[in-house]
Amino acid sequence: MTKAYLLNKTEQNVSGEVVELPFGDLPPEKLEVAVLYSSFNYKDAMVVRGIGGLVKNYPHVPGIDLVGTVLNSTDDKFHPGDKIIATGWHLGERFWGGFSTRANINPEFAIALPSNISPRTAMALGTAGLSAMLAVMALEKNGLRSNHDLPVLVTGATGGVGSVATLLLSKLGYAVVASTGKTNEVKYLEALGAKEIIDRNELLEPSARPLEKQSWSAAIDSVGGATLSHVISRLALGGSVACVGLVGGTQFSSSIYPLLLRGVNILGIDSATVPNSTRILAWDRLASLDLAVPLEKISRIAGLDEISTLTETILAGKQKGRIIVDPNLG
Ligand SMILES: NC(=O)c1ccc[n+]([C@@H]2O[C@H](COP(=O)([O-])OP(=O)(O)OC[C@H]3O[C@@H](n4cnc5c(N)ncnc54)[C@H](OP(=O)(O)O)[C@@H]3O)[C@@H](O)[C@H]2O)c1
């Protein structure tokens, strides 16, 4: 039997519960994995609450991330005993995901877990960490440099993506300005390396002019909406914003002037379908950065029985740091 968090849909709502399922109920796939950990991301909360039509078929096991040990494989790339990591590729949305002690997945969704990162650290990063690294890599490709006079802005800084982005940028030598709605979390953000903390309300102000005073060399934005509009008007010459999230809204507007007169770049980040070759580069870089200790401080382990509470917290914008989900707990 496998223990799993199973969602069902009625005409009224989507509801979930922890259940025991016979292995035969799992979808047949080439890779059978004993799940060590999953993690909890904003998208998991959307899936659990049935927001955005991400899941087409029920019953459904959520969990967009997993790390585990291969039990059986009919694919040449993987063998029993291999440690793998799988994130995105619509895992936990179109396909059953990681909130389960056992998962059968398409081998194309998996890459080898780098040897120098533990399964727990990998899930303290999860999709949030991968996205933060992809954002850093995209900014670097577009000219980000640590000796710039102006700092890098991170929005939604106490959240999953924001916390890891703040940590990564600081580790890599960038000066970080962290924008947050949790102004009592100054110490938390300083411990991640933020040099300055600003109230996120400042970024909700509509810009009076298309080009405001240049404030940041680049930005990693988890918020979108009016925040993104504001950020674009204050980026430095040649600056870029890596757009990761939408917690503050799905629409934004901007004058074309920042793009034409400052060469500002708006970079989309899609961690779910980024090619495996890029994922491997990103995970190798994450693994090389010695993040286990700081990640331990900003993450905690939760069991499947906490999924409902975690969903409320993250959708209310109250998430701080990262949640590792241990399906084997309890
Ligand atoms: N593109 C991708 O591949 C990708 C990958 C991962 C995540 N995402 C997206 O990125 C976003 C963040 O994900 P996450 O897992 O980091 O979520 P999270 O842990 O909930 O973090 C979001 C943070 O944003 C801030 N926030 C929340 N509501 C807000 C609002 N209404 N206005 C402004 N700020 C608000 C809060 O931080 P403060 O209190 O510090 O402001 C919150 O902690 C989500 O939209 C998610 O879907 C996209």
Side-chain angles (χ1 to χ4, degrees):
M1 301 288 275
T2 180
K3 186 166 66 146
Y5 188 79
L6 194 72
L7 293 177
N8 272 293
K9 188 175 184 183
T10 62
E11 271 181 24
Q12 285 77 39
N13 65 357
V14 173
S15 63
E17 60 179 335
V18 182
V19 296
E20 297 275 339
L21 294 173
F23 290 135
D25 281 11
L26 293 170
E29 290 287 357
K30 287 183 172 174
L31 204 57
E32 295 177 11
V33 181
V35 179
L36 296 168
Y37 299 108
S38 181
S39 86
F40 200 81
N41 297 275
Y42 193 85
K43 196 186 259 181
D44 292 310
M46 293 174 72
V47 166
V48 170
R49 277 293 163 268
I51 299 167
L54 298 171
V55 179
K56 305 290 178 224
N57 298 306
Y58 294 87
H60 176 73
V61 174
I64 66 171
D65 294 344
L66 67 85
V67 66
T69 310
V70 174
L71 296 170
N72 284 299
S73 171
T74 53
D75 183 274
D76 289 347
K77 283 197 295 290
F78 299 108
H79 303 96
D82 288 350
K83 294 272 187 296
I84 59 103
I85 182 162
T87 67
W89 292 123
H90 306 295
L91 195 68
E93 300 172 58
R94 286 183 212 158
F95 308 101
W96 283 22
F99 293 173
S100 180
T101 52
R102 173 102 164 241
N104 295 348
I105 64 170
N106 182 333
E108 299 305 320
F109 299 173
I111 59 170
L113 180 73
S115 58
N116 48 345
I117 191 168
S118 74
R120 183 175 163 145
T121 300
M123 283 297 102
L125 291 160
T127 280
L130 173 64
S131 306
M133 179 51 92
L134 291 173
V136 169
M137 287 162 61
L139 293 178
E140 287 174 340
K141 202 170 156 190
N142 284 276
L144 180 67
R145 49 190 173 79
S146 54
N147 61 353
H148 199 289
D149 290 344
L150 293 173
V152 181
L153 173 73
V154 174
T155 64
T158 66
V161 174
S163 294
V164 183
T166 302
L167 175 63
L168 289 183
L169 288 164
S170 306
K171 267 242 166 207
L172 292 168
Y174 299 99
V176 176
V177 173
S179 155
T180 183
K182 305 182 190 80
T183 41
N184 55 339
E185 294 294 352
V186 170
K187 282 207 167 67
Y188 172 87
L189 290 166
E190 283 177 348
L192 290 173
K195 292 279 179 280
E196 187 189 344
I197 288 111
I198 60 172
D199 188 324
R200 74 179 184 212
N201 286 324
E202 178 187 331
L203 306 184
L204 285 171
E205 292 291 320
S207 300
R209 296 169 299 175
L211 295 170
E212 295 287 354
K213 181 171 180 275
Q214 300 181 37
S215 304
W216 309 294
S217 57
I220 296 180
D221 177 41
S222 299
V223 175
T227 298
L228 178 57
S229 305
H230 183 112
V231 169
I232 292 169
S233 71
R234 290 176 62 184
L235 282 172
L237 203 64
S240 304
V241 53
C243 301
V244 183
L246 47 69
V247 292
T250 55
Q251 305 286 320
F252 72 97
S253 61
S254 168
S255 157
I256 194 79
Y257 284 123
L259 283 70
L260 303 189
L261 300 182
R262 285 187 183 161
V264 160
N265 303 298
I266 301 171
L267 310 173
I269 303 299
D270 177 9
S271 64
T273 60
V274 66
N276 282 349
S277 51
T278 310
R279 281 167 203 259
I280 290 168
L281 287 177
W283 277 108
D284 281 347
R285 193 148 171 221
L286 286 166
S288 74
L289 281 175
D290 212 6
L291 299 169
V293 172
L295 285 172
E296 186 78 20
K297 291 186 186 144
I298 64 159
S299 59
R300 74 168 182 93
I301 295 212
L304 295 178
D305 56 340
E306 289 186 61
I307 297 296
S308 181
T309 317
L310 294 172
T311 299
E312 298 311 321
T313 305
I314 209 164
L315 289 179
K318 293 182 180 160
Q319 178 60 28
K320 186 176 104 178
R322 292 280 299 143
I323 304 289
I324 301 164
V325 174
D326 182 351
N328 303 286
L329 210 65

